[in-house]
Amino acid sequence: MARMYYEKDANFELMKKRKVAVLGYGSQGHAHALNLKESGASVVVGLYEGSRSWEKAQNDGFKVLSTADAVAESDLVVMLVPDEKQKNLYETA
């Protein structure tokens, strides 16, 4: 039987000690980044140079870096780019 985990089963204080890179700032990346930030996590957004989302993420209060730089300075990485772009991003960043 599968075990179900709930908020009470986790300690979010551990997340506050780590920097999270959110790769992508579309519908999923935007929502996750804001949720993590509002919960007290340190979040950096990783985007490709020239991304239309770059300025939006900055205006939302995020430090925005190239994908490679965001990954390099983070402890945890959340890849929230479209499925068809994930393979290339993983292999090149």
Side-chain angles (χ1 to χ4, degrees):
M1 174 128 198
R3 175 160 181 198
M4 300 295 290
Y5 291 93
Y6 299 92
E7 189 173 342
K8 65 178 178 53
D9 298 317
N11 180 359
F12 194 77
E13 291 302 313
L14 297 173
M15 286 291 294
K16 293 180 181 178
K17 297 177 182 177
R18 309 258 184 320
K19 183 177 279 188
V20 181
V22 174
L23 306 184
Y25 204 70
S27 61
Q28 291 296 312
H30 173 253
H32 284 281
L34 286 172
N35 188 299
L36 286 165
K37 179 179 144 187
E38 290 169 4
S39 295
S42 175
V43 179
V44 61
V45 174
L47 297 170
Y48 63 88
E49 297 290 334
S51 169
R52 294 179 300 167
S53 299
W54 195 289
E55 187 175 341
K56 179 174 176 36
Q58 285 180 323
N59 289 340
D60 287 341
F62 292 103
K63 177 179 178 182
V64 183
L65 300 171
S66 70
T67 301
D69 289 342
V71 169
E73 76 168 47
S74 297
D75 302 302
L76 301 166
V77 177
V78 183
M79 188 181 299
L80 297 168
V81 297
D83 292 348
E84 67 274 9
K85 295 182 179 183
Q86 289 181 8
K87 181 180 185 289
N88 184 55
L89 177 63
Y90 181 83
E91 292 175 343
T92 60

